[in-house]
């Protein structure tokens, strides 16, 4: 009888330990990525009128493009709309720190720069803001990673770092 109880005890422990260890290890992984690695949940940098952006009357997004705000620091104002980014190509010097300020004129889009730590949702009525430093010269492909219609596969742009 004692052997059966001992076997039952081992069987229970064999199930209890992983059921505690797995959630604890998941929580540790979340804490490490949040604090040690610096992964953050994207947040809205503000709101904007979709109709004003589409009409070109919004003060921030009426003239999309690249602006130098300080030596080596740039601000890229970008609008996304069905199957295109405006501007489509941006040229910056190597070593520049660029803050991308984005919104959409129509539907949800994505803005991902291959080879850079930029991956953000571009939502109508919401301003997305993300910053990266481009140290390595070359061409960086910009793609929309959210399905936005039949021509989604052609929605791309590029960042040229000189």
């Amino acid at each position: 009888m004692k052997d059966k109880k001992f076997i039952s005890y081992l069987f229970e422990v064999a199930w209890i330990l992983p059921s505690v260890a797995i959630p604890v290890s998941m929580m540790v992984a979340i804490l490490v990525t949040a604090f040690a690695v610096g992964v953050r949940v994207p947040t809205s940098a503000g709101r904007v009128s979709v109709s004003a952006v589409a009409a070109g009357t919004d003060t921030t997004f009426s003239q999309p493009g690249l602006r130098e705000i300080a030596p080596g620091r740039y601000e890229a104002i970008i609008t996304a709309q069905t199957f295109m980014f405006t501007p489509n190509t941006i040229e910056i010097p190597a070593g520049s720190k660029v803050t991308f300020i984005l919104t959409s004129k129509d539907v949800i889009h994505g803005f991902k720069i291959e080879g850079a730590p930029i991956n953000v949702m571009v939502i109508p009525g919401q301003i997305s803001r993300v910053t990266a430093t481009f140290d390595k010269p070359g061409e960086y492909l910009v793609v929309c990673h959210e399905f936005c219609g039949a021509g989604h596969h052609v929605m791309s742009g590029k960042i040229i770092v000189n």
Side-chain angles (χ1 to χ4, degrees):
M1 190 69 161
K2 286 185 178 182
D3 288 340
K4 281 188 173 183
K5 286 184 180 181
F6 183 70
I7 291 173
S8 292
Y9 172 77
L10 287 178
F11 188 70
E12 287 177 12
V13 168
W15 280 101
I16 291 172
L17 289 178
S19 67
V20 171
I22 291 172
V24 168
S25 64
M26 291 175 71
M27 188 56 108
V28 167
I30 290 170
L31 292 172
V32 166
T33 57
F35 297 108
V37 181
V39 175
R40 302 282 184 263
V41 176
T43 59
S44 172
R47 306 285 303 164
V48 66
S49 166
V50 177
S51 57
V53 172
T57 58
D58 181 79
T59 55
T60 303
F61 295 98
S62 61
Q63 295 180 346
L66 188 69
R67 297 177 184 95
E68 186 172 15
I69 56 175
R73 294 204 42 133
Y74 294 87
E75 205 173 60
I77 309 294
I78 299 174
T79 58
Q81 64 190 51
T82 308
F83 319 135
M84 66 184 286
F85 294 108
T86 305
N88 190 283
T89 302
I90 295 175
E91 290 189 43
I92 57 169
S96 298
K97 188 172 191 175
V98 182
T99 299
F100 295 92
I101 302 169
L102 308 113
T103 195
S104 172
K105 291 184 177 182
D106 45 30
V107 299
I108 294 176
H109 295 282
F111 185 79
K112 176 169 177 36
I113 302 176
E114 297 292 333
I118 301 288
N119 185 350
V120 67
M121 299 283 291
V122 185
I123 301 170
Q126 179 176 308
I127 299 171
S128 299
R129 182 184 302 261
V130 64
T131 302
T133 302
F134 293 88
D135 292 320
K136 184 179 172 190
E139 287 191 8
Y140 294 79
L141 178 65
V142 178
V143 295
C144 174
H145 60 76
E146 290 293 325
F147 183 73
C148 55
H152 165 73
H153 63 284
V154 298
M155 188 171 177
S156 65
K158 63 182 166 181
I159 309 289
I160 300 170
V161 179
N162 298 319

